[in-house]
Amino acid sequence: MSIPQPAERHLTTSALVIGTGGAGLRASIELAERGIQVLAVGKRRKHDAHTTLAAGGINAALGTMDPEDSWQQHAADTLRESYFLADPEIVEVVARGAARGIDDLERWGMPFAREDDGRISQRFFGAHKYRRTAYAGDYTGLEIQRTLMRRAAELTVPIIDTVYITRILVSDGTVFGAYGFDVVDGTPVVIHADAVILAAGGHTRIWRYTSSRRDENTGDSFRLAALAGARIRDAELVQFHPSGLIEPEDAAGTLVSEAARGEGGTLTNARGERFMQRYDAERMELSTRDRVALANYTEIAEGRGTEKGGVWLDVSHLPREQILEKLPRLYRALIDLQMLDITERPIEVAPTAHYSMGGVWVRAEDHGTGVEGLYAIGEASSGLHGANRLGGNSLIELMVYGRITGETAAEYVRGRIEVHRDPAAVAAARAELEAFLHSTGTETPRRLQRAVRDVMTEHAGVIRTEESLREGLAKLAALEARAKNVTAHPDIAGFDDLAHAFDLLGSLLAARATLESAIERRETRGCHNRADFPETDPALRGNMIWTPDGGVEFEPLGDAPESFRALAEQVTSDAVEGKLVE
């Protein structure tokens, strides 16, 4: 039975925010506080955005625990951990603005953990020189999302969390809105807006094992921005978390918190060997995220993994009371997902794609994309993390740039005196959507999405070579050809199938950007491991910039300012005592 599609709906707002996670909400709040009409739309329920999964904490050099900390040291730690691929100007903006970001959350009722005297507690995270990570238990992201939702409600920010945006509308290089549809009833939606802020996440769902849940981080933001005329930076730089679940299949990649290793968990291969001795004999399981992920991958790739393609993470030797007190969420998750009692048996894990450190190219001062009126923030953007993300920086990034971009977009909207709407752009977006619904093709989006994930896992995982990357591109080209025969079949349950079709388009574009950029980065640096180029190349200290028509161009990076350059270049201690792993 075919489901009739309702008539097109037209909405108008001064500023449109695409994405209802922490980044989108923070920008929406800033716009509303400045008296600008704003509309936030998203494809996932606003109470369950990806931000809620962030556990560890949020960084700012508050000095509540270590008075000698400073924004300069925070910036230095960030730049050094990025393997000097972060944009120094973006790093400075975030480090300088971090304390204000914490203050905003505090004013809006964020329940930070506190010391007995009322100070905000701060703890060590890996690669930080001082204690600067504020937190709320092991659910910091969830509390941030709740806090921002409350503030948005106080400001009566309109949020529609069932709208899938398929195109950003552009006329003569300037945005004038977006096109999409309601995933519940299929209503096509035209949203006219003077400014658009893209906060739709990253692209880690294009790997088989990923910490992202189904139907999020599929590369939507890459495609929306690229088709609007923006550029993609550092698509190849993806952080792989060492420990994701292998089973069940529909939860493959779900994170096993690094707190498990932090509490004393051990890693062994199928032979029972505690293999971290080979990779970091001093720090063992408390080594950095990229090194442990590489170790896990190598054990599996060289035939010492389990039959299902993993390694064992074991906490069963720890006291049961310690596990229930320190790892309660992990304990419950494994019972729910596998009926596995981690106090008695080890967990089978493998590296999982965790965070897009690349994304849409943005200016340091305001996160403008180069397309007039279009901004990008959060995991959709790039420039802060380089080749390795400093733990705790993603949450403070959305607070700092959510505010700055909201402020900039407000000024832009107030100063815009003429808007040109191009009917041809709307017609093209409408035709693209209708083509899926009227297609007589036989390909289903879910099947091709899985094929994309298989290609990326095999050819663009933790370790890469040019030969394998080019093989991946050839396979991807075949999938792109098959995608032309994709059809969507909405049913009485809704238009999810149509959303999957557009997810597929985003995944295909993001996969191509990643493969082509990874080929051009002929070095090993941070998360990017090239077996055929095992050394770091100083000449490649810069960013790979990708566009659909132009491919990859290399953009060198400038030096860090004197305010924190020397600090960043200092050799730091690898000691892990008292620190959480990343």
Side-chain angles (χ1 to χ4, degrees):
M1 180 180 72
S2 65
I3 305 297
Q5 193 176 23
E8 199 168 72
R9 181 184 180 193
H10 286 245
L11 302 173
T12 300
T13 184
S14 294
L16 171 66
V17 178
I18 303 172
T20 55
L25 289 176
R26 181 62 188 90
S28 299
I29 289 167
E30 190 67 24
L31 284 157
E33 287 186 337
R34 292 175 178 274
I36 299 298
Q37 181 190 31
V38 57
L39 171 65
V41 301
K43 65 176 183 177
R44 177 176 281 280
R45 297 296 182 185
K46 54 184 177 290
H47 293 287
D48 192 31
H50 196 62
T51 304
T52 62
L53 300 184
I58 179 170
N59 296 336
L62 303 178
T64 60
M65 310 298 288
D66 295 318
E68 60 269 44
D69 198 10
S70 64
W71 76 260
Q72 292 94 336
Q73 187 63 58
H74 182 189
D77 291 350
T78 299
L79 186 60
R80 182 173 53 251
E81 191 70 357
S82 79
Y83 290 78
F84 293 90
L85 290 192
D87 182 331
E89 292 184 50
I90 289 177
V91 170
E92 179 171 351
V93 169
V94 170
R96 278 182 177 271
R100 182 171 175 180
I102 298 295
D103 182 62
D104 287 340
L105 287 172
E106 194 174 12
R107 286 188 294 107
W108 298 332
M110 171 77 181
F112 285 113
R114 294 182 181 272
E115 299 297 298
D116 292 340
D117 61 3
R119 288 174 296 149
I120 291 178
S121 299
Q122 293 191 282
R123 58 189 179 189
F124 271 124
F125 236 23
H128 292 257
K129 184 170 183 178
Y130 298 112
R131 290 174 287 180
R132 70 167 67 96
T133 303
Y135 59 97
D138 63 350
Y139 43 87
T140 309
L142 176 60
E143 288 294 359
I144 288 175
Q145 183 74 6
R146 288 171 172 170
T147 300
L148 295 177
M149 282 294 303
R150 285 195 303 270
R151 182 57 181 155
E154 291 171 358
L155 296 166
T156 62
V157 172
I159 299 173
I160 306 175
D161 56 5
T162 58
V163 168
Y164 191 115
I165 297 298
T166 63
R167 289 276 183 143
I168 293 171
L169 300 173
V170 178
S171 175
D172 296 327
T174 303
V175 301
F176 68 93
Y179 193 92
F181 65 95
D182 191 300
V183 295
V184 177
D185 61 15
T187 303
V189 181
V190 181
I191 305 173
H192 294 299
D194 297 340
V196 175
I197 298 176
L198 181 60
H203 71 312
T204 50
R205 189 67 196 171
I206 68 175
W207 280 266
R208 186 186 305 143
Y209 300 124
T210 170
S211 60
S212 294
R213 298 169 296 191
R214 291 184 93 180
D215 309 324
E216 60 186 19
N217 286 337
T218 54
D220 320 22
S221 57
F222 282 40
R223 182 173 186 269
L224 288 171
L227 295 187
R231 303 179 294 160
I232 307 301
R233 172 168 52 191
D234 294 339
E236 79 281 11
L237 300 181
V238 177
Q239 188 171 63
F240 284 85
H241 193 286
S243 51
L245 295 179
I246 294 177
E247 295 180 316
E249 185 174 341
D250 62 355
T254 298
L255 285 190
V256 174
S257 170
E258 282 171 311
R261 289 188 284 120
E263 290 298 324
T266 59
L267 289 165
T268 57
N269 59 25
R271 301 175 184 175
E273 299 169 330
R274 193 174 170 188
F275 56 81
M276 281 306 299
Q277 183 75 30
R278 287 194 281 272
Y279 303 93
D280 192 338
E282 181 179 347
R283 292 180 290 181
M284 296 292 285
E285 285 85 4
L286 297 183
S287 185
T288 57
R289 182 177 290 174
D290 55 342
R291 190 170 297 186
V292 179
L294 178 60
N296 289 359
Y297 179 90
T298 303
E299 292 296 306
I300 297 164
E302 294 184 355
R304 296 184 293 276
T306 63
E307 288 185 8
K308 295 175 182 176
V311 295
W312 298 110
L313 173 57
D314 193 4
V315 296
S316 65
H317 57 282
L318 301 175
R320 179 181 177 85
E321 295 74 18
Q322 180 182 350
I323 293 173
L324 295 179
E325 179 186 354
K326 300 291 187 179
L327 304 170
R329 294 178 75 184
L330 179 62
Y331 177 82
R332 290 194 302 270
L334 267 295
I335 290 288
D336 291 343
L337 291 171
Q338 298 181 3
M339 285 303 294
L340 173 69
D341 186 340
I342 64 173
T343 68
E344 298 177 356
R345 294 164 52 199
I347 312 161
E348 198 169 6
V349 298
T352 179
H354 179 51
Y355 195 90
S356 300
M357 294 181 289
V360 181
W361 180 94
V362 287
R363 292 188 297 260
E365 61 268 26
D366 59 7
H367 268 30
T369 63
V371 178
E372 190 172 348
L374 176 62
Y375 308 86
I377 52 176
E379 197 171 354
S381 66
S382 64
L384 178 63
H385 309 298
N388 197 39
R389 177 173 63 91
L390 186 70
N393 265 0
S394 55
L395 291 176
I396 196 59
E397 177 189 22
L398 68 85
M399 290 299 300
V400 172
Y401 272 112
R403 175 183 59 79
I404 291 172
T405 302
E407 177 183 0
T408 303
E411 294 174 358
Y412 175 79
V413 165
R414 284 199 176 97
R416 192 166 181 184
I417 58 175
E418 183 179 9
V419 177
H420 179 249
R421 298 172 180 169
D422 185 358
V426 177
R430 182 185 301 121
E432 181 181 57
L433 186 149
E434 291 177 347
F436 281 126
L437 296 174
H438 301 145
S439 171
T440 58
T442 57
E443 294 284 2
T444 60
R446 279 292 199 210
R447 182 188 303 166
L448 291 184
Q449 281 180 311
R450 174 174 293 196
V452 172
R453 292 197 291 271
D454 287 343
V455 168
M456 296 303 290
T457 299
E458 181 179 355
H459 298 285
V462 177
I463 297 180
R464 304 158 176 185
T465 65
E466 183 148 349
E467 180 182 7
S468 180
L469 290 165
R470 292 196 181 279
E471 288 174 1
L473 274 176
K475 292 180 181 179
L476 184 67
L479 294 178
E480 290 168 335
R482 289 174 60 186
K484 295 176 181 178
N485 294 313
V486 163
T487 186
H489 295 289
D491 56 30
I492 196 169
F495 281 69
D496 286 343
D497 206 36
L498 184 58
H500 301 331
F502 280 100
D503 282 345
L504 172 63
L505 294 185
S507 295
L508 288 167
L509 183 143
R512 178 164 290 279
T514 302
L515 289 166
E516 292 182 353
S517 298
I519 287 173
E520 296 304 318
R521 185 166 291 285
R522 294 180 174 89
E523 65 168 351
T524 289
R525 188 189 292 259
C527 66
H528 180 72
N529 296 284
R530 284 287 297 264
D532 46 353
F533 292 94
E535 303 298 326
T536 299
D537 184 352
L540 290 177
R541 194 180 73 80
N543 309 115
M544 299 298 168
I545 311 295
W546 183 89
T547 56
D549 297 328
V552 183
E553 293 184 5
F554 178 72
E555 191 173 85
L557 272 165
D559 291 330
E562 292 184 5
S563 57
F564 62 90
R565 184 190 311 164
L567 289 173
E569 293 172 350
Q570 284 180 0
V571 176
T572 59
S573 168
D574 281 345
V576 296
E577 185 176 355
K579 295 187 180 183
L580 296 177
V581 289
E582 292 178 289

